[in-house]
Structures are given as C-alpha cells and as structure tokens.
Amino acid sequence: MEDVLEQETAEKPVEGTVEDTEEVAVEEEMDESDEGTAKSSKSFFKKDKKEKKDKKDAEIDELKDRLMRQMAEFENFRKRSEKEKAQMFEIGAKSIIEKILPVVDNFERGLGAISEEEKEGAFAQGIEKIYKQMVTTLEEAGVSAIDAVGKEFDPNLHNAVMHAEDENFGENIISDEFQKGYKYKETVVRHSMVKVVN
C-alpha cells in the first residue's frame, strides 16, 4: 500500500516546480511578443490611415482653392460683361441720339421762322406740340441740353467758333450760342457751338 502511494506521488508533478515555471515564462514571452506585434501592426495601420487622411485633406484643400479661384474668375467675368453691356448700350444710345439731334434742330429752326400771326394757327401749334413731345421724350431717356449763354467757357462742354471783345460781359464768358449742345447722362453727345467774349 505504501508502495502504491509512493508511485502515485512520483507520477504527479508538484505544483510550482521548475518545469512549470519555465513553461509559464515561455507562454508569457509568447504573449508579450504577440502583443508587441499587435501593437506594431496597430501603429502601422494608424500611420497608414493618417497618411491617407493627410492626402485626402490636401486634395480637399486643393479642390477648395480651385473652386474659390473659379468663383472669383466667374464673378470678375460677370462684372466685366455687365460693364461691357452697359458701355455698348450707352454707345448705341449715343449713336441714336446723335442722329435725332439734327431733327430737333430743324424743329427749332422751323418754329423760329414762324411769324407771330402764324403761331396762332393750328399747323404751327401742332408742330410746337410735336417738338415739345420729342424734347420731353429725350429728357426722360437721359438727354439734357448744355447751358451755354452767360456761362463761363468750358472746353469739355463748349466748342468756341468765334471770339470777340465786349465790355458788358466778364472774361471768358459765352455771349452767343449757334448750335445747342447735348449730354446723355454724364457723357457729352454734342458740344455747344458758341461765341466767347473777352
């Protein structure tokens, strides 16, 4: 009986022996090496993701920059187009006004040639009404006559065709107007033909 007990105790290894501690140490080393690989692989994936994110951010920034530039270019193009349209309209309007002004001049000459007796007639009154309507329409369109007689000569508005001496006027003053000048908004369509004194 004692022999059987000795055999059983000999077969069973005692807990905490050298062999057990070596096996546990090896297992721990394997676990640590596995953790190290897992950590390194995690850091690798993080690094890879960061690089990808950086590339995406750079691309987004580049696309944003391109979009902003294109929007700015479009805004400049739109403003330039509007300015060109306005200039073209102004040039077209100025051209038409230049062609209408001789008709206005002829109306004024015709009305000036009518005698006082004829002014009461229906024909003369009809002509005068047409003239007034034309002048009103031009004013509504932005056309205005340039003041000349009694004003100081301004080369931007007036065209001096005669010069004379007159003590009744001051220096460089317009005494007579031979042809009316007109402006369209702020642009001179036709300079006034004038006589300047002193």
Side-chain angles (χ1 to χ4, degrees):
M1 185 89 174
E2 287 177 8
D3 292 334
V4 174
L5 280 172
E6 282 177 14
Q7 279 181 355
E8 281 179 7
T9 49
E11 285 176 10
K12 284 185 182 178
V14 182
E15 285 184 15
T17 60
V18 178
E19 290 175 5
D20 286 343
T21 47
E22 283 178 6
E23 283 178 17
V24 170
V26 170
E27 282 177 12
E28 282 177 0
E29 281 176 19
M30 286 177 67
D31 288 345
E32 282 175 12
S33 66
D34 287 346
E35 281 177 18
T37 355
K39 281 180 184 176
S40 64
S41 65
K42 278 181 185 175
S43 66
F44 173 76
F45 285 124
K46 278 184 182 177
K47 192 176 181 183
D48 191 35
K49 280 182 182 177
K50 194 174 183 183
E51 283 176 9
K52 282 182 182 176
K53 194 174 183 183
D54 289 345
K55 283 181 183 177
K56 282 182 183 176
D57 287 344
E59 283 179 21
I60 288 167
D61 290 341
E62 187 183 340
L63 289 170
K64 276 184 184 175
D65 184 53
R66 281 168 64 184
L67 178 66
M68 294 299 284
R69 285 176 190 274
Q70 284 181 347
M71 284 173 72
E73 282 176 19
F74 178 74
E75 187 64 24
N76 290 339
F77 170 75
R78 189 180 62 76
K79 285 179 182 175
R80 193 169 54 247
S81 297
E82 283 177 5
K83 192 176 179 182
E84 285 172 3
K85 279 180 191 173
Q87 285 176 344
M88 284 172 68
F89 181 79
E90 197 165 310
I91 290 165
K94 189 178 171 185
S95 174
I96 290 166
I97 291 161
E98 283 174 350
K99 289 175 183 173
I100 292 172
L101 289 180
V103 178
V104 175
D105 294 340
N106 289 333
F107 267 110
E108 288 173 352
R109 286 190 198 103
L111 289 168
I114 296 172
S115 64
E116 289 296 325
E117 295 169 0
E118 291 173 332
K119 278 185 181 178
E120 299 300 321
F123 180 75
Q125 286 181 356
I127 294 293
E128 192 172 355
K129 283 179 181 175
I130 293 167
Y131 166 73
K132 283 180 180 176
Q133 185 182 9
M134 185 174 278
V135 169
T136 306
T137 306
L138 287 171
E139 283 174 358
E140 286 172 358
V143 179
S144 58
I146 296 170
D147 291 332
V149 179
K151 302 284 182 184
E152 189 176 348
F153 176 76
D154 182 355
N156 296 317
L157 303 172
H158 311 118
N159 181 17
V161 291
M162 283 183 73
H163 188 269
E165 297 292 329
D166 193 335
E167 292 178 0
N168 297 325
F169 290 95
E171 193 175 338
N172 214 21
I173 300 296
I174 296 165
S175 61
D176 294 299
E177 183 181 50
F178 303 116
Q179 188 181 50
K180 259 189 189 176
Y182 290 91
K183 287 195 299 183
Y184 171 63
K185 294 180 180 175
E186 296 303 314
T187 310
V188 176
V189 178
R190 186 174 78 184
H191 292 77
S192 301
M193 287 175 67
V194 296
K195 177 183 176 180
V196 184
V197 292
N198 304 328

